[in-house]
Amino acid sequence: MSEGKLDGFLVTALVNVRYLSGFTGSNGVLLLGGREPLLFTDPRYEIQSARQTNCRVRIVRGPLVRAVGASLRRRRWKRIGFENGRIGLEVYRGLERTLAPGAALVEADDAIERLRMIKSAAEIALIRTSVAACSKAYASALRRLKPGLREQDLAARLEFEMRRLGAEKPAFETIVAAGERAALPHAEPSARSIGSNELLLIDMGAQLQGYASDMTRMAHLGAPARKTRQLYDAVLEAQLAAIEKVRPGITTDAVDGEARRVLGHYGLGERFTHSTGHGLGLEIHEAPRIGHGDRTRLAAGMVITVEPGVYMEGFGGIRIEDTVLVTSSGHEVLTPTPK
Ligand code: ZN
Ligand code: ZN
């Protein structure tokens, strides 16, 4: 706020409201500045908000934006930061209309997201718990894997096990893709049965106490063909090489470049069609992006994924993904599941 010479800061992204205040309801705006932060929410959350946050809470009947606008006018603030990438046009226009003359809404871009990149010890502990639930769920669901099982049955089993282990929900739509369907990097589980000699891609994560985990593993029913083994080995080599680069000070572009270099060596550069990874925390995809041309430097406390993959129409796809913590001396792979 001092950088932007702001009198106040309006937090409208619910995930950022949660990050700053602890409030997990589905309707809330947090106003920072002045003596103490003020959380606006509606009567459904009267009891919950009092339990979850030590902010002052204002319970509002009707649209929050009107109450927020009135509060801003009374304070006579001149410069109010807002999350321009995270606000709806209606809400923005509503706020603009209620501002006092001479007051301005100032674009603060991803100020909170930049804070969220570096996880606290408490956040890292929660991510570890989420990662453990994901890996345990994978291990128990895999014991039931046999030919004839449908992709959607396996996805349901994975999600059931994650919930049993304490997750609120999957961190994203679980991906189970058998055979040539694995060529779709974001395949939705279908009613297709898993064959007796087939490659299987599973990409899954838990959301546990708000925090995400993210893992992709390849399984194979029956003995894999030589081509499949070679592709798997190439992707694994790329993934391990990229993880080896992870340490404070390195650009995310350099981590991405390492995975690309290895796959390029095997003539698979063109088949690696997405970026190498992403940050994760309260959201499954958050800053930093581990991709080509991204100049963000890794720092201790960041939690990222490393997940190179290759995809071929008619054959299938191979991706391997771990959740990785950047430590002061390098990195720690949090995912315990063997590859
Ligand atoms: Zn994933
Ligand atoms: Zn991922």
Coordinates of all heavy atoms in Angstrom, one line a residue, residues 172 186 203 214-216 277-278 280 284-285 305-307 319 321, ligand 2:
F172 N -8.9 -30.2 -8.4 CA -9.4 -29.9 -9.7 C -10.0 -31.2 -10.2 O -10.0 -32.2 -9.6 CB -8.2 -29.5 -10.6 CG -7.1 -30.5 -10.6 CD1 -7.0 -31.6 -11.5 CD2 -6.1 -30.5 -9.6 CE1 -6.0 -32.5 -11.5 CE2 -5.1 -31.5 -9.6 CZ -5.0 -32.5 -10.5
H186 N -5.8 -32.7 -20.9 CA -6.8 -32.5 -19.9 C -8.0 -33.3 -20.2 O -9.2 -32.8 -20.2 CB -7.1 -31.0 -19.7 CG -6.2 -30.3 -18.7 ND1 -6.4 -29.0 -18.3 CD2 -5.1 -30.8 -18.1 CE1 -5.4 -28.8 -17.4 NE2 -4.6 -29.8 -17.3
D203 N -4.0 -37.8 -13.3 CA -3.6 -36.5 -12.8 C -4.6 -36.1 -11.8 O -5.8 -36.0 -12.0 CB -3.5 -35.5 -13.9 CG -2.9 -34.2 -13.5 OD1 -2.6 -34.0 -12.3 OD2 -2.6 -33.3 -14.4
D214 N -0.9 -31.7 -6.2 CA -1.0 -32.0 -7.7 C 0.0 -33.0 -8.1 O 1.2 -32.8 -7.8 CB -0.8 -30.7 -8.4 CG -1.2 -30.7 -9.9 OD1 -1.7 -31.8 -10.3 OD2 -1.1 -29.7 -10.6
M215 N -0.4 -34.1 -8.7 CA 0.5 -35.2 -9.0 C -0.1 -35.9 -10.3 O -1.3 -36.1 -10.5 CB 0.5 -36.2 -7.9 CG 1.1 -37.6 -8.3 SD 1.2 -38.7 -6.9 CE -0.3 -39.6 -7.0
T216 N 0.9 -36.2 -11.2 CA 0.5 -37.1 -12.4 C 1.4 -38.3 -12.3 O 2.6 -38.2 -12.2 CB 0.7 -36.3 -13.7 OG1 0.0 -35.1 -13.7 CG2 0.2 -37.1 -14.9
G277 N 5.3 -26.2 -15.5 CA 4.7 -26.3 -14.2 C 4.1 -25.0 -13.7 O 4.0 -24.0 -14.5
H278 N 3.6 -25.0 -12.5 CA 2.9 -23.8 -11.9 C 3.0 -23.8 -10.4 O 3.3 -24.9 -9.8 CB 1.4 -23.9 -12.3 CG 0.8 -25.2 -12.0 ND1 0.2 -25.5 -10.8 CD2 0.7 -26.4 -12.7 CE1 -0.3 -26.7 -10.8 NE2 0.0 -27.3 -12.0
L280 N 1.4 -23.6 -6.7 CA 0.1 -24.0 -6.1 C 0.0 -23.7 -4.6 O 1.1 -23.5 -4.0 CB -0.2 -25.5 -6.4 CG 0.5 -26.6 -5.6 CD1 -0.1 -27.9 -5.9 CD2 2.0 -26.6 -5.9
I284 N -5.1 -24.2 -7.3 CA -4.3 -25.2 -8.0 C -3.3 -24.6 -9.0 O -2.3 -25.1 -9.1 CB -5.3 -26.3 -8.6 CG1 -4.4 -27.4 -9.3 CG2 -6.2 -25.7 -9.6 CD1 -3.6 -28.2 -8.3
H285 N -3.7 -23.5 -9.6 CA -2.8 -22.8 -10.5 C -2.6 -21.4 -10.0 O -3.5 -20.6 -10.0 CB -3.3 -22.7 -11.9 CG -3.4 -24.1 -12.6 ND1 -4.5 -24.6 -13.2 CD2 -2.4 -25.0 -12.8 CE1 -4.3 -25.8 -13.7 NE2 -3.0 -26.1 -13.4
T305 N 4.9 -27.1 -9.2 CA 4.9 -28.4 -9.8 C 5.9 -28.5 -10.9 O 6.3 -27.5 -11.5 CB 3.5 -28.8 -10.5 OG1 3.3 -28.0 -11.6 CG2 2.4 -28.6 -9.5
V306 N 6.4 -29.7 -11.2 CA 7.3 -29.9 -12.4 C 6.6 -31.1 -13.1 O 6.5 -32.2 -12.6 CB 8.7 -30.3 -11.9 CG1 9.6 -30.5 -13.2 CG2 9.3 -29.1 -11.1
E307 N 6.1 -30.8 -14.3 CA 5.3 -31.8 -15.0 C 5.4 -31.8 -16.6 O 4.5 -31.5 -17.3 CB 3.8 -31.5 -14.7 CG 3.4 -30.1 -14.8 CD 1.9 -29.9 -14.5 OE1 1.1 -30.7 -15.1 OE2 1.5 -29.1 -13.7
R319 N 2.9 -38.0 -19.0 CA 3.2 -36.8 -18.2 C 3.6 -37.3 -16.8 O 3.0 -38.3 -16.4 CB 2.0 -35.8 -18.1 CG 2.3 -34.7 -17.2 CD 1.3 -33.5 -17.4 NE -0.1 -33.8 -16.9 CZ -1.1 -34.0 -17.7 NH1 -1.0 -34.0 -19.0 NH2 -2.3 -34.3 -17.1
E321 N 4.4 -35.8 -12.9 CA 4.3 -34.5 -12.2 C 4.4 -34.7 -10.7 O 3.8 -35.6 -10.1 CB 2.9 -33.9 -12.4 CG 2.6 -32.6 -11.6 CD 1.2 -32.1 -11.8 OE1 0.3 -32.8 -12.2 OE2 1.1 -30.8 -11.7
Ligands
ZN2 ZN -0.2 -29.3 -12.4

